[in-house]
Amino acid sequence: MQRLIPVLNSDHVPLHLISVINTLLTAAKEISHRLHQGSLAGTLGSTLDENIQGETQKKLDIVSNQLIKNMLLETNLVHAVASEEEDDVVMGNPDAKYLVAFDPLDGSSNIDINGSVGTIFTILEKPDHAAEGKELFLQTGDEQIAAGYILYGPSTMLVMTTGKGVRAYTLDHTVGEFLLTVEKLEIPKTTQEFAINMSNQRFWAEPMKHYIADLLSGSEGPRAKNFNMRWNAAMVSDVHRVLTRSGIFMYPADCKNSDKPCKLRLLYEANPMSFLVEQAGGRSSTGYERIMSLQPTDIHQRVSVIMGSKEEVDECLGYYKKIPCTRFDSP
Ligand code: F6P
Ligand code: MN
């Protein structure tokens, strides 16, 4: 089984970019170790703080953020980082060209129940035009040069792309290295499995309500087949299932909280996951637009997400085309 770095070398990924990815993985190995230790490491539970998005921060959110941020900045290869747990971008080496945005610990409500969580990352280059601070990161998903996630599940896996397909690696704890375990991840075009937080049903817009109602009516409904539902409440592990065996993952806009019609963040959640899904032959949309074509206006911007098996996402998007949306504009 091949190690990560020779695989990236054979794809002609620049050496400095390989070093940035490798640094992310060094931090991920440490996070994996701490998660594995659970209560023994004394890092379970919440802090008294909230992040800029008003979410309570878990101790491991903070620890993971510090580890990734500090290690990346120490490389001197990173111009700036943006994180879910940082209000503003943090500047690094003014002469470096890489920008890294990350969600240090996605699905962190799973930490205290010993469930799967993940780290999501995306790497961009400093734009040619003069840009400073958060403006640096306001690039479309199509500008990403590498993206991926580390899933901390029963095994720790890296799933990543540099725009030449999607590979999966598994952390071999005995040698402390990520070894290539899937050469090419491809999402089957059709599926009978969907992932959505059903408790938000009454807050969804009409197209999503009708689409899910038709899935639930199964073989007796217009789709004429039964669907199964799965929801791990951690985007990394829900999308990992879709990448592994098909499915459609959705976190659509809803009217539960008018200040926050969408839950997932464009820059460090939706864009990197969309890059992986498209590279694996799937589709990713807000319901109205391709996610990776959106021009971001803020680093913590939220977006409606529908991604996964191509034909199933197209089925869902058909409802957005034919059913007028009364409560939401295109996010
Ligand atoms: O990062 C946000 C997140 O934790 C995702 O990982 C996950 O898909 C979603 O929120 C879970 O949301 P909910 O708490 O509504 O199930
Ligand atoms: Mn997250």
Side-chain angles (χ1 to χ4, degrees):
M1 259 179 280
Q2 273 187 290
R3 292 168 187 219
L4 174 86
I5 293 171
V7 176
L8 291 178
N9 266 330
S10 66
D11 278 351
H12 306 290
V13 176
L15 279 179
H16 282 174
L17 179 56
I18 294 180
S19 296
V20 172
I21 295 167
N22 213 22
T23 303
L24 279 164
L25 298 182
T26 306
K29 286 176 208 168
E30 180 61 30
I31 296 168
S32 173
H33 174 69
R34 301 213 186 184
L35 283 162
H36 198 69
Q37 292 294 99
S39 302
L40 303 175
T43 37
L44 299 191
S46 300
T47 64
L48 297 174
D49 298 327
E50 284 188 347
N51 64 16
I52 190 164
Q53 351 228 352
E55 296 159 343
T56 308
Q57 289 176 304
K58 300 275 181 189
K59 289 184 199 163
L60 266 172
D61 281 328
I62 311 277
V63 170
S64 308
N65 182 54
Q66 293 294 346
L67 276 168
I68 299 173
K69 177 180 73 174
N70 294 343
M71 285 186 183
L72 284 173
L73 294 177
E74 275 164 20
T75 61
N76 269 332
L77 297 171
V78 174
H79 184 66
V81 298
S83 161
E84 178 179 324
E85 306 300 341
E86 300 281 339
D87 299 2
D88 296 314
V89 304
V90 182
M91 299 307 296
N93 177 359
D95 299 324
K97 71 171 178 182
Y98 294 116
L99 306 170
V100 186
F102 53 91
D103 177 352
L105 213 50
D106 172 68
S108 50
S109 70
N110 278 358
I111 295 172
D112 295 341
I113 60 153
N114 200 7
S116 293
V117 291
T119 295
I120 310 175
F121 64 90
T122 176
I123 305 178
L124 299 156
E125 282 181 352
K126 188 163 74 169
D128 291 336
H129 59 272
E132 283 178 26
K134 75 171 191 181
E135 271 174 59
L136 290 161
F137 285 89
L138 304 183
Q139 306 185 35
T140 68
D142 281 326
E143 309 294 323
Q144 296 172 101
I145 53 170
Y149 59 77
I150 297 99
L151 168 64
Y152 310 103
S155 58
T156 295
M157 291 187 75
L158 163 71
V159 175
M160 70 166 285
T161 184
T162 54
K164 292 183 181 133
V166 181
R167 294 195 180 101
Y169 304 78
T170 305
L171 179 60
D172 182 340
H173 288 278
T174 56
V175 291
E177 295 245 28
F178 283 92
L179 303 182
L180 183 65
T181 39
V182 187
E183 176 64 48
K184 190 170 165 53
L185 270 172
E186 277 178 296
I187 307 178
K189 296 205 174 346
T190 59
T191 191
Q192 286 182 241
E193 200 161 63
F194 69 97
I196 196 164
N197 183 341
M198 281 296 297
S199 70
N200 293 327
Q201 187 177 31
R202 70 186 189 282
F203 303 111
W204 296 332
E206 293 309 310
M208 186 52 73
K209 278 188 181 164
H210 282 82
Y211 170 64
I212 296 292
D214 285 351
L215 298 190
L216 294 177
S217 59
S219 58
E220 290 140 43
R223 300 297 306 281
K225 60 178 183 177
N226 292 325
F227 281 80
N228 194 13
M229 198 200 90
R230 287 283 182 269
W231 187 247
N232 290 342
M235 187 189 197
V236 167
S237 73
D238 279 312
V239 174
H240 186 72
R241 186 184 55 256
V242 169
L243 281 160
T244 308
R245 72 171 187 213
S246 85
I248 179 168
F249 168 87
M250 294 157 281
Y251 214 118
D254 63 51
C255 64
K256 192 155 92 179
N257 174 351
S258 55
D259 294 341
K260 280 185 202 157
C262 304
K263 176 142 192 190
L264 300 176
R265 275 57 54 114
L266 174 60
L267 201 68
Y268 40 81
E269 292 181 318
N271 267 342
M273 291 310 210
S274 299
F275 193 13
L276 292 168
V277 163
E278 286 198 5
Q279 283 290 315
R283 178 150 294 172
S284 175
S285 169
T286 63
Y288 296 100
E289 287 164 275
R290 180 175 167 263
I291 287 180
M292 289 213 291
S293 303
L294 295 174
Q295 176 57 53
T297 52
D298 187 74
I299 51 170
H300 297 296
Q301 174 177 351
R302 293 167 188 264
V303 69
S304 168
V305 171
I306 301 168
M307 60 170 63
S309 293
K310 203 171 189 172
E311 290 183 14
E312 194 54 45
V313 173
D314 285 343
E315 283 280 350
C316 177
L317 299 186
Y319 288 71
Y320 282 83
K321 281 200 193 92
K322 72 179 182 229
I323 300 175
C325 187
T326 46
R327 281 179 298 169
F328 305 97
D329 292 317
S330 167

